[in-house]
């Protein structure tokens, strides 16, 4: 395979990871040991917030009054589409029972988790849509207690539009706390008495690492670190649109990778030429983030064929993957690893990030090789059960006893023996001894 790095990143997802890991481990240990007092201390020193941690109904009403009516309608537009898509995902799986052999029944049940912790970023940007993506999806799945948290933005607390979106989406308790301390508070049940069964939501590298370290004690949606974009483009792509979409994701933060996979050197030239001007035109905060992200994490990879592009793209397993190339059906049939796919130049990542309906909480750092994004199913425990008649037990118990003895598990074997002796006292069943095999 002939692959050429037209532009190669100077950094990768592992850059600075050791320091992040140590910082998060220390903070989690301190908060677990010292409880709410330590979480409040971090909130004061890192978030600059000394007010109440739990948001009151009065504060929600006051925040709602500060949200312009058009913005409310836009939030409701996004909420309606995200909720409808989440409901369709939920309804695509179901409970069932099947008779595997006469009298032997096995089934599947869907049980919502009791408590979900939803993290909503609110530091550099007010991630209004993230409140909808996490909270609404949990509620659609049937989660009883949804605890949401976000960083206090000023003396009034959480950004009013984020607070409005959290409440609209159905959050039961809202914490004014960001970062590791917010994640820890939801995981340990601080301020709520309801430890999270699952933690979901995007965040910076510290938030992502806190979720990773807490996995096992509770569930997590996935490893959702700094956002990524991959764009597959050929000679038919519009370089203005490709460059704009790369910059649109790079502005999220200085460690947000932006990748272009292309078979066209001419397109690579044109996109490279446009990137500095587009970045320079951004406001200062966004400009600094996008400039660092493109300089340190941006890549352009040239391939000889679309088959090579697929191989490279699947290896990168981009969080967001756009197709701006001819023959959409071929790409959809051959690509396998991505968080969410945006087909055609009309279907840009920005639309999915905000309001088109699919969830924007997606796997990063290669996790799309083994998982998809946040969906209603993430909040459901898919559990099984079985029941059977005594007639069905005749065969199942005999096979279980023989297999167990072959494995050397005499206790298991005897559970089958006692049932056979009780239900079929007049019959003899063949024994299999492990040593005979």
């Amino acid at each position: 395979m002939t692959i050429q790095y037209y532009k190669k990143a100077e950094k990768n997802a592992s850059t600075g990871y050791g320091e992040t890991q140590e910082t998060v481990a220390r903070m989690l240990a301190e908060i677990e040991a010292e409880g709410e007092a330590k979480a409040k201390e971090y909130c004061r020193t890192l978030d600059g917030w000394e007010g109440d941690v739990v948001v009151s109904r009065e504060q929600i009403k006051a925040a709602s009054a500060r949200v312009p009516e058009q913005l409310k309608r836009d939030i409701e537009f996004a909420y309606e589409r995200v909720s409808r898509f989440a409901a369709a995902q939920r309804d695509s799986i179901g409970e069932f029972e099947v008779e595997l052999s006469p009298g032997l029944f096995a089934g599947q049940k869907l049980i919502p988790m009791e408590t979900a912790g939803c993290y909503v970023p609110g530091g550099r940007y007010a991630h209004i849509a993230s409140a909808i993506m996490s909270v609404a999806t949990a509620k659609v799945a049937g989660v009883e207690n949804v605890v949401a948290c976000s960083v206090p933005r000023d003396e009034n607390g959480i950004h009013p539009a984020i607070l409005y979106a959290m409440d609209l989406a159905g959050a039961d308790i809202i914490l004014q706390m960001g970062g590791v301390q917010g994640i820890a508070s939801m995981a340990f049940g601080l301020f709520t008495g309801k430890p999270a069964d699952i933690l979901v939501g995007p965040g910076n590298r510290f938030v992502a690492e806190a979720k990773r370290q807490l996995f096992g004690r509770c569930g997590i949606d996935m490893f959702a670190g700094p956002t990524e974009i991959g764009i597959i483009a050929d000679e038919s792509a519009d370089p203005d649109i490709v460059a704009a979409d790369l910059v649109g994701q790079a502005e999220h933060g200085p460690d947000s990778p932006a990748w272009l996979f292309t078979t066209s050197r001419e397109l690579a030239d044109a996109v490279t030429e446009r990137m500095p001007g587009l970045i320079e035109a951004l406001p200062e905060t966004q400009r600094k983030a996008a400039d660092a992200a493109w300089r340190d994490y941006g890549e352009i990879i040239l391939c000889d064929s679309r088959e090579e592009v697929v191989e490279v793209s699947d290896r990168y397993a981009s969080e967001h993957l756009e197709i701006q190339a001819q023959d959409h059906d071929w790409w959809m049939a051959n690509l396998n690893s991505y968080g969410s796919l945006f087909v055609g130049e009309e279907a840009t990542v920005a639309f999915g990030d905000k309001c088109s309906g699919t969830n924007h909480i997606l796997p990063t750092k290669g996790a799309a090789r083994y998982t998809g994004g946040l969906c209603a199913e993430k909040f459901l425990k898919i559990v099984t059960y079985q029941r059977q008649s005594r007639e069905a037990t005749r065969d199942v118990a005999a096979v279980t006893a023989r297999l167990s003895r072959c494995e050397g598990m005499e206790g298991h074997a005897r559970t089958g023996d006692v049932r056979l002796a009780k239900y079929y006292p007049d019959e003899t069943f063949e024994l299999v001894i492990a040593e005979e095999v």
Side-chain angles (χ1 to χ4, degrees):
M1 182 170 65
T2 305
I3 293 175
Q4 179 182 350
Y5 282 90
Y6 182 102
K7 179 186 184 306
K8 186 169 176 57
E10 298 179 7
K11 298 181 180 181
N12 58 44
S14 298
T15 302
Y17 176 65
E19 180 183 351
T20 302
Q21 189 177 32
E22 292 175 6
T23 299
V24 170
R26 173 178 50 79
M27 291 179 67
L28 289 176
E30 291 175 354
I31 294 171
E32 183 172 19
E34 302 178 43
E36 294 180 0
K38 193 64 180 181
K40 284 183 177 180
E41 180 183 327
Y42 275 121
C43 191
R44 182 173 62 255
T45 58
L46 299 179
D47 300 336
W49 177 253
E50 299 190 44
D52 294 335
V53 172
V54 179
V55 177
S56 66
R57 288 307 311 173
E58 290 72 22
Q59 187 177 353
I60 293 173
K61 290 179 181 177
S64 177
R66 298 198 300 273
V67 179
E69 289 302 314
Q70 181 61 58
L71 180 53
K72 287 181 179 178
R73 289 193 292 271
D74 291 341
I75 292 171
E76 290 158 7
F77 178 98
Y79 168 72
E80 191 271 338
R81 280 150 184 78
V82 171
S83 296
R84 281 183 58 192
F85 189 77
Q89 288 181 313
R90 176 202 63 204
D91 295 342
S92 71
I93 56 176
E95 299 185 346
F96 66 85
E97 183 177 88
V98 58
E99 189 172 17
L100 299 174
S101 58
L104 173 60
F105 297 87
Q108 172 176 291
K109 287 180 62 65
L110 307 178
I111 302 177
M113 296 180 191
E114 184 177 337
T115 301
C118 299
Y119 187 85
V120 180
R124 182 182 289 109
Y125 305 117
H127 287 265
I128 301 166
S130 289
I132 299 168
M133 301 289 175
S134 58
V135 176
T137 305
K139 277 302 182 183
V140 166
V143 176
E144 181 179 353
N145 305 308
V146 175
V147 180
C149 79
S150 189
V151 62
R153 191 175 182 89
D154 54 28
E155 66 277 5
N156 294 310
I158 295 172
H159 189 288
I162 290 180
L163 202 50
Y164 178 81
M166 286 174 165
D167 186 57
L168 174 69
D172 298 289
I173 303 173
I174 300 172
L175 305 181
Q176 301 181 111
M177 188 173 285
V180 175
Q181 60 272 24
I183 291 290
S185 294
M186 293 190 296
F188 303 149
L190 304 182
F191 310 103
T192 66
K194 300 180 184 300
D197 301 312
I198 187 170
L199 295 167
V200 304
N204 63 20
R205 59 193 174 102
F206 296 100
V207 169
E209 176 60 16
K211 288 167 59 182
R212 190 196 67 80
Q213 291 190 20
L214 288 164
F215 177 62
R217 158 176 239 152
C218 60
I220 63 172
D221 46 3
M222 68 209 76
F223 196 89
T227 192
E228 305 165 350
I229 184 173
I231 299 180
I232 291 173
D234 62 13
E235 67 282 354
S236 69
D238 184 331
D240 290 321
I241 290 178
V242 172
D245 288 2
L246 289 170
V247 172
Q249 289 304 110
E251 75 169 354
H252 281 69
D255 52 359
S256 294
W259 304 311
L260 171 60
F261 314 126
T262 183
T263 53
S264 170
R265 177 173 289 276
E266 290 73 19
L267 179 73
D269 291 339
V271 170
T272 300
E273 180 182 349
R274 286 160 171 75
M275 292 296 288
L278 289 173
I279 292 173
E280 184 61 30
L282 295 172
E284 182 180 6
T285 297
Q286 294 88 334
R287 181 174 68 251
K288 288 181 177 179
D291 182 60
W294 181 242
R295 180 190 66 233
D296 296 338
Y297 291 87
E299 290 191 338
I300 298 177
I301 298 179
L302 289 171
C303 301
D304 285 341
S305 68
R306 61 183 186 178
E307 288 79 12
E308 290 179 356
V309 170
V310 166
E311 185 168 344
V312 172
S313 178
D314 279 351
R315 187 169 73 242
Y316 276 65
S318 310
E319 177 193 20
H320 308 91
L321 182 60
E322 294 186 357
I323 299 173
Q324 297 191 34
Q326 299 177 56
D327 198 356
H328 295 164
D329 290 343
W330 185 90
W331 293 104
M332 290 184 69
N334 285 276
L335 290 163
N336 294 304
S337 296
Y338 50 82
S340 191
L341 189 64
F342 301 83
V343 184
E345 69 176 33
E346 299 84 0
T348 177
V349 170
F351 298 164
D353 268 357
K354 305 308 177 200
C355 64
S356 61
T358 56
N359 206 294
H360 79 196
I361 300 171
L362 300 165
T364 63
K365 299 178 72 172
R369 293 178 295 106
Y370 56 82
T371 187
L374 187 64
C375 62
E377 184 180 343
K378 294 281 188 177
F379 298 100
L380 296 171
K381 295 176 289 185
I382 302 178
V383 298
T384 59
Y385 68 88
Q386 70 176 70
R387 60 186 181 86
Q388 59 196 63
S389 65
R390 288 193 173 183
E391 179 58 33
T393 298
R394 183 184 188 281
D395 292 334
V396 172
V399 171
T400 297
R402 290 193 292 266
L403 286 175
S404 296
R405 286 197 168 90
C406 187
E407 294 174 346
M409 301 183 71
E410 186 61 28
H412 267 188
R414 288 178 181 175
T415 62
D417 292 345
V418 297
R419 285 166 173 78
L420 292 173
K422 179 178 180 179
Y423 302 154
Y424 303 97
D426 299 327
E427 295 193 38
T428 301
F429 295 90
E430 179 184 358
L431 300 180
V432 176
I433 308 302
E435 289 75 14
E436 295 179 351
V437 178

